Amino acid sequence: MTEISPAILTNDISDFRKKYAELFALSHFFQKLHVDFADGVFVSNQTVMPADLAFLKASPFTLVAHFMTYHPEKYFRSAKTCGFQYALIHAEAFEDKKQLEHALLFGEHLGLKMGLVFNPFTDFRKFSSLYSKIQMIQLMGIQPGAQGREFMPATYERLKELKNLTKNVIISVDGGIKIGIASKLAANGANILVAGSAILRAEDKEAAIESLQADIKI
C-alpha cells in the first residue's frame, strides 16, 4: 500500500507554522509529515532547522526529517528532541561510505530511524551494503533544493531497480509528485510519495490530498 506524505520546505518560522496549521487541519488524511532541512551549502537555499521547531514535540504525525545538508549528524539531537522519528540523509553529502555509515550509526544510537536519500543521477547500487542498517530509502524525482520542479521520468526505472535490490526497506519518492505520476509510482511499488507544492500550493489543499490519494488507488 502507498501513502501520501505532505512536505514542508521554508526558511521562515512563521510560514512554517502557517503551513503546519493548514496540514494539521487535514491530519485525518495522512500519518507522516515530511520536513525538508537545507543548510544553504549542500543545496543553494536555506531553511528553518530542527532547533527552531520545538513545538512539534506534541505533533500527532510521524515526523520525517529530510536533511539536504552536509554533516547532517550535527542536527540529529535537536531533531530527536523535537519529535522526529526518522532522519533521512543524502549519500552525496559524504566524502566516503565510512563517514556515511558512521552518521547512520550515530542516528540509530540516538533512537532515530535512519534512511538514505539518492539524487537522480546517483548510483544507489554502490550503497547496497548499507541497506540492512536503514529503515527507509528515498529516491529524488527532481534535483533537490526547491519545491515545484518537474519530475524526472527516469525515476520510474530507478524505482523498479531499487525494488529488486531490497525487499525489506520502505521506499519513498520525493519531488514532482502529481496526479498520474503518483499512480505510476504506486504501481511500481513506492511505499511513500512525498508531495510538497502539489498540496501546499493548491487553492484547495483538502481536494489536492484527496485527488492524490484517489490517484494511487486506481
Side-chain angles (χ1 to χ4, degrees):
M1 184 175 174
T2 306
E3 60 181 299
I4 301 295
S5 175
I8 300 177
L9 184 155
T10 183
N11 64 355
D12 182 274
I13 188 63
S14 296
D15 184 53
F16 187 101
R17 285 181 177 274
K18 177 178 176 292
K19 287 178 166 66
Y20 180 80
E22 291 170 338
L23 292 172
F24 185 84
L26 302 171
S27 59
H28 51 291
F29 285 109
F30 62 95
Q31 295 179 327
K32 291 183 177 67
L33 178 63
H34 183 102
V35 181
D36 290 308
F37 296 109
D39 60 4
V41 183
F42 181 72
V43 292
S44 59
N45 62 321
Q46 195 165 3
T47 65
V48 298
M49 298 308 280
D52 303 316
L53 304 177
F55 70 93
L56 288 181
K57 193 168 185 179
S59 176
F61 302 119
T62 298
L63 299 173
V64 180
H66 172 199
F67 291 105
M68 295 180 284
T69 70
Y70 289 111
H71 308 293
E73 63 274 13
K74 69 183 180 182
Y75 307 110
F76 287 173
R77 289 189 188 277
S78 53
K80 179 68 177 174
T81 298
C82 64
F84 282 88
Q85 289 100 320
Y86 286 87
L88 311 184
I89 61 178
H90 275 262
E92 304 86 2
F94 295 86
E95 290 183 8
D96 55 51
K97 198 184 292 186
K98 187 175 181 180
Q99 288 184 358
L100 175 55
E101 186 172 9
H102 178 77
L104 291 171
L105 290 172
F106 178 60
E108 184 181 3
H109 171 73
L110 294 177
L112 292 163
K113 296 178 181 179
M114 298 304 297
L116 281 176
V117 186
F118 298 110
N119 284 344
F121 301 106
T122 299
D123 184 357
F124 50 74
R125 293 169 296 184
K126 293 180 179 178
F127 300 88
S128 59
S129 62
L130 299 177
Y131 293 174
S132 63
K133 305 177 190 297
I134 59 177
Q135 283 75 47
M136 190 183 297
I137 295 173
Q138 181 165 287
L139 294 179
M140 297 303 298
I142 61 171
Q143 280 297 118
Q147 293 182 341
R149 292 175 176 172
E150 287 299 311
F151 180 81
M152 295 181 172
T155 309
Y156 297 126
E157 287 303 317
R158 284 170 61 79
L159 173 58
K160 287 180 188 176
E161 186 176 356
L162 183 58
K163 288 293 287 186
N164 288 330
L165 276 178
T166 177
K167 305 296 182 186
N168 301 316
V169 179
I170 298 167
I171 298 179
S172 173
V173 181
D174 179 13
I177 304 300
K178 297 177 182 176
I179 304 301
I181 292 172
S183 58
K184 199 166 178 181
L185 289 169
N188 284 326
N191 303 110
I192 300 169
L193 301 180
V194 178
S197 57
I199 295 171
L200 286 169
R201 293 184 186 175
E203 232 175 271
D204 187 334
K205 294 171 179 58
E206 182 172 357
I209 293 178
E210 286 183 319
S211 295
L212 284 169
Q213 289 182 334
D215 193 49
I216 63 178
K217 290 173 182 173
I218 293 173

